């Protein structure tokens, strides 16, 4: 806006100046013709030609001079503002780099570090920014041992972006896990002049990732059937043992409600009502249940369900564990039968008759 106003003022000033010059020169031409060529004084053509011959070159020279000054002034203003914008942009970039939680560094084609922030100093275990800048990423032993140095050289040679994860031991002997993203720095001509990259301490995330992988491995190979559903009871995961026990595959049940895996009757409705009330109270629900497999075979299961709470204390998931207890139930029933019946005749014995009478 300031530039536009300044330019408009210059144009108005230029027009005003030209008008004054034109009037003055017109008067001068008029007087010259009057005294030098009195016979032609009343000849308008001579007057006009004289005015054009004398005035036009002067006005042209004046306008050219003023426009040149104006262009230089506008260029100076624009250069000044551009330099200011570049300075402000560089300052924002510097603040962003220095305060970034991720490590950021640049190096030249020889591996010498040219820029590094405090996050890199902390991650690499270096004593200071100055000390870190003395490090050569191609020859620093810890970087060579973990393979980072070789990967950075390859990135520089091929000109391709490099992404990788590495186990790294700092100067002080601390084992950490690094995640890196490096790209070549190129001139407008395409010549590679160095590398710029981001380094992150991936240790905690890696530990959590390894733990999740371990937990998943344990559940996948669990000797009991596991069913994980959301808070509405819609199944999200079953392990292989669940398929082995019931015959249902993930394609059969994932996305469906757990209640659909059971026959609808009064006993089932009562059990599910009891299950919901127990889970809402944040307690574990247990029950022995007579269920049906996918192929129609009846079996007895011992089922236990528990809520998985989120950070606010609300129910996020439900986890159910069950095992086939058909053999145990049948043996228990058989033992109970033999306790009250004759082994040969299968008629009620003394205890059976007594129990029957009572």
């Amino acid at each position: 806006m300031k530039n536009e106003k300044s330019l408009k003022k210059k144009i108005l000033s230029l027009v005003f100046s030209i008008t004054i010059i034109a009037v003055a020169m017109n008067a001068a031409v008029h007087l010259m013709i009057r005294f030098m060529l009195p016979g032609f004084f009343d000849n308008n053509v001579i007057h006009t030609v004289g005015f054009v011959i004398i005035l036009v070159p002067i006005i042209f020279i004046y306008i050219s001079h003023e426009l040149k000054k104006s262009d230089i002034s506008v260029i100076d203003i624009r250069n000044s503002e551009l330099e200011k914008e570049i300075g402000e942009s560089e300052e924002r970039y510097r603040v962003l780099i220095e305060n970034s939680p991720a490590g950021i560094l640049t190096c030249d084609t020889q591996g010498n570090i040219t820029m590094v922030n405090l996050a890199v100093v902390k991650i690499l275990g270096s004593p200071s920014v100055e000390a870190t800048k003395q490090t050569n990423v191609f020859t620093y032993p810890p970087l060579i041992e973990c393979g980072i140095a070789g990967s950075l050289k390859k990135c520089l040679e091929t000109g391709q972006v490099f992404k990788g994860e590495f186990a790294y031991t700092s100067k002080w002997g601390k084992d950490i896990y690094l995640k890196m993203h490096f790209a070549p720095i190129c001139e407008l001509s395409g010549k590679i002049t160095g590398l710029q990259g981001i380094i992150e301490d991936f240790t905690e995330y890696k530990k959590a990732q390894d733990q999740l992988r371990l937990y998943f491995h344990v559940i996948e190979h669990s000797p009991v059937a596991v069913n994980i559903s959301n808070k509405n009871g819609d199944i999200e995961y079953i392990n292989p043992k669940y398929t082995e026990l019931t015959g249902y595959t993930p394609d059969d049940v994932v996305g469906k409600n757990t209640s659909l895996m059971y026959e609808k009757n009064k006993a089932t409705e009562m059990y599910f009502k009891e299950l919901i009330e127990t889970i809402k109270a944040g307690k574990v629900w247990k029950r022995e249940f007579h269920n049906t497999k996918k192929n129609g075979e009846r079996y007895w299961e011992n089922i236990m369900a528990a809520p998985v709470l989120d950070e606010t204390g609300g129910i996020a998931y439900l986890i159910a564990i069950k095992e086939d207890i058909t053999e145990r139930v049948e043996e228990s029933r058989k033992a109970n039968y033999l306790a009250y019946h004759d082994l040969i005749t299968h008629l009620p014995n003394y205890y059976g008759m007594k129990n029957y009478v009572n």
Side-chain angles (χ1 to χ4, degrees):
M1 291 298 292
K2 288 183 179 180
N3 287 345
E4 290 179 3
K5 289 181 179 179
S6 178
L7 190 57
K8 286 179 180 178
K9 287 182 179 179
K10 286 181 179 293
I11 292 172
L12 290 173
S13 177
L14 183 60
V15 171
F16 182 74
S17 299
I18 292 172
T19 303
I20 296 298
I21 293 172
V23 171
M25 290 302 299
N26 184 50
V29 171
H30 180 80
L31 292 173
M32 287 174 63
I33 294 175
R34 182 183 181 89
F35 291 106
M36 295 176 65
L37 301 170
F40 296 96
F41 177 77
D42 295 326
N43 192 323
N44 291 330
V45 173
I46 296 298
H47 183 276
T48 302
V49 170
F51 177 79
V52 170
I53 291 173
I54 296 173
L55 180 63
V56 170
I58 295 174
I59 292 177
F60 177 78
I61 293 170
Y62 177 76
I63 290 174
S64 298
H65 177 70
E66 290 298 318
L67 287 176
K68 186 176 180 181
K69 283 171 58 180
S70 179
D71 287 342
I72 293 172
S73 178
V74 171
I75 290 171
D76 289 342
I77 292 172
R78 287 179 177 173
N79 285 342
S80 176
E81 292 197 348
L82 184 60
E83 288 176 1
K84 182 180 178 182
E85 289 178 4
I86 292 174
E88 291 175 349
S89 178
E90 288 178 346
E91 179 63 17
R92 286 195 296 270
Y93 178 74
R94 184 188 64 78
V95 172
L96 177 64
I97 293 296
E98 289 182 355
N99 295 282
S100 172
I104 301 174
L105 67 81
T106 60
C107 65
D108 59 23
T109 54
Q110 304 304 314
N112 300 309
I113 295 177
T114 55
M115 186 279 293
V116 63
N117 68 349
L118 291 174
V120 173
V121 175
K122 182 179 178 181
I123 290 171
L124 297 182
S126 183
S128 66
V129 171
E130 290 70 23
T132 306
K133 284 186 176 181
Q134 301 303 315
T135 303
N136 186 294
V137 296
F138 295 157
T139 60
Y140 188 51
L143 296 180
I144 295 175
E145 291 171 7
C146 67
I148 293 176
S151 297
L152 295 181
K153 281 184 179 180
K154 186 177 180 181
C155 177
L156 197 61
E157 293 168 357
T158 62
Q160 297 179 346
V161 174
F162 162 72
K163 296 179 182 179
E165 298 175 2
F166 299 88
Y168 171 79
T169 302
S170 72
K171 185 177 180 180
W172 315 116
K174 182 181 178 181
D175 293 327
I176 58 177
Y177 202 80
L178 300 180
K179 188 174 184 180
M180 308 179 69
H181 187 142
F182 271 82
I185 301 173
C186 300
E187 295 179 342
L188 293 176
S189 62
K191 180 183 177 182
I192 297 175
T193 58
L195 295 174
Q196 183 174 42
I198 298 174
I199 302 175
E200 295 180 89
D201 187 342
F202 204 53
T203 309
E204 293 304 317
Y205 184 86
K206 177 66 176 175
K207 287 180 180 178
Q209 197 176 53
D210 290 342
Q211 285 182 336
L212 287 174
R213 189 177 292 110
L214 173 62
Y215 298 155
F216 179 76
H217 182 79
V218 170
I219 293 174
E220 280 282 289
H221 295 84
S222 173
V224 295
V226 178
N227 164 10
I228 300 175
S229 59
N230 61 26
K231 61 182 180 180
N232 298 318
D234 299 324
I235 298 173
E236 295 192 1
Y237 167 82
I238 60 171
N239 70 343
K241 191 64 178 182
Y242 186 98
T243 299
E244 181 184 331
L245 173 60
T246 66
Y248 290 104
T249 66
D251 290 337
D252 296 327
V253 300
V254 171
K256 295 181 180 179
N257 197 274
T258 305
S259 61
L260 297 177
M261 302 298 105
Y262 296 84
E263 294 179 354
K264 291 185 177 181
N265 51 52
K266 289 185 177 180
T268 304
E269 290 177 1
M270 181 186 69
Y271 288 152
F272 270 95
K273 182 179 179 181
E274 181 185 291
L275 166 65
I276 293 171
E277 291 175 352
T278 305
I279 293 297
K280 283 184 176 181
K283 299 179 180 179
V284 177
W285 180 78
K286 298 178 181 180
R287 176 69 62 181
E288 290 185 359
F289 205 86
H290 201 202
N291 204 356
T292 306
K293 297 183 179 182
K294 182 179 179 180
N295 61 8
E297 180 185 347
R298 300 286 288 178
Y299 75 102
W300 280 94
E301 64 181 17
N302 181 34
I303 183 170
M304 179 173 65
V308 178
L309 307 180
D310 58 23
E311 59 274 6
T312 65
I315 298 174
Y317 295 97
L318 303 175
I319 181 167
I321 299 173
K322 58 184 180 180
E323 57 181 334
D324 189 343
I325 59 169
T326 305
E327 185 176 344
R328 191 188 73 191
V329 170
E330 289 180 350
E331 289 180 352
S332 177
R333 286 187 172 186
K334 183 177 180 181
N336 186 64
Y337 179 85
L338 293 176
Y340 294 97
H341 292 77
D342 183 78
L343 184 61
I344 298 175
T345 64
H346 297 286
L347 295 174
N349 56 21
Y350 171 78
Y351 297 102
M353 290 296 295
K354 184 177 181 182
N355 186 60
Y356 178 76
V357 171
N358 292 335

